[in-house]
Amino acid sequence: MGANELEIVNIRLIKEPSLYSEELLTTPDAVLRLMAKELSTYDREVLCVLNMKTNNQVINMNVVSVGSLNAGLVTPREVFKSSILSNAASIIAIHNHPSSNTQPSREDFRVTERLAKCGDLLGIELLDHIIIAGETGKMYSFKQEGHLGKNGRVNSDPYR
């Protein structure tokens, strides 16, 4: 390749067979019903993103990160990649705590705030960040607990 040649790349969204229902996700409990079984099978932290239409119908689910027993690497670039390709209006971030503890960590608050701010810049709203606790079926919703506000603000971060 010569010094002045540019490589041409193609970016495509490749759809896998559908695993989930077409239920509208209007509450954290609806998200829990959809995702709890899937995330309860992992022995390490897994972060998924649900890409949503404007009417809260799921377009698709993307596994963004598979981490370790109690941590995961989460970057906005990876989180929003499938959202942009899917033409999503909003997203719901979901991750599991294999320890079955629903309490968010300092890092969970930090990541939530960062994703909300990045989503605000991209025009893709972070509707919620939900933690599913291992096999217990319990969850923690940042939105339901009043920690997720408008314009990328995390309210009441206990670690600040």
Side-chain angles (χ1 to χ4, degrees):
M1 185 159 95
N4 293 326
E5 288 185 68
L6 294 176
E7 289 186 28
I8 298 173
V9 298
N10 287 304
I11 300 171
R12 295 187 178 117
L13 178 67
I14 299 175
K15 295 182 179 182
E16 298 289 335
S18 180
L19 298 173
Y20 303 109
S21 73
E22 294 186 17
E23 178 182 2
L24 296 183
L25 300 182
T26 56
T27 67
D29 288 326
V31 175
L32 182 67
R33 284 192 301 276
L34 182 67
M35 296 298 298
K37 184 177 178 184
E38 177 74 20
L39 289 180
S40 70
T41 62
Y42 293 98
D43 64 348
R44 62 200 76 201
E45 284 201 13
V46 175
L47 177 89
C48 299
V49 63
L50 296 176
N51 294 305
M52 312 291 290
K53 294 179 181 179
T54 55
N55 67 351
N56 291 339
Q57 184 178 17
V58 179
I59 299 168
N60 55 42
M61 184 273 289
N62 181 39
V63 174
V64 175
S65 172
V66 177
S68 66
L69 183 62
N70 61 355
L73 177 63
V74 180
T75 63
R77 174 181 46 235
E78 295 304 317
V79 170
F80 288 101
K81 186 186 298 182
S82 69
S83 307
I84 292 167
L85 290 172
S86 300
N87 205 24
S90 57
I91 65 168
I92 298 174
I94 307 153
H95 81 276
N96 66 327
H97 281 178
S99 67
S100 296
N101 179 4
T102 58
Q103 187 60 39
S105 67
R106 173 177 288 161
E107 186 64 13
D108 292 335
F109 276 95
R110 191 185 74 72
V111 164
T112 303
E113 184 168 30
R114 191 164 181 212
L115 292 179
K117 285 179 179 178
C118 289
D120 189 47
L121 287 171
L122 292 169
I124 302 172
E125 183 182 1
L126 175 65
L127 296 177
D128 204 346
H129 180 183
I130 295 174
I131 299 169
I132 296 178
E135 297 176 359
T136 67
K138 294 182 181 177
M139 72 162 173
Y140 182 94
S141 162
F142 278 79
K143 186 74 160 189
Q144 194 171 52
E145 297 297 326
H147 293 298
L148 188 58
K150 291 285 185 185
N151 302 322
R153 305 238 187 270
V154 172
N155 306 320
S156 310
D157 180 347
Y159 297 105
R160 286 193 179 168

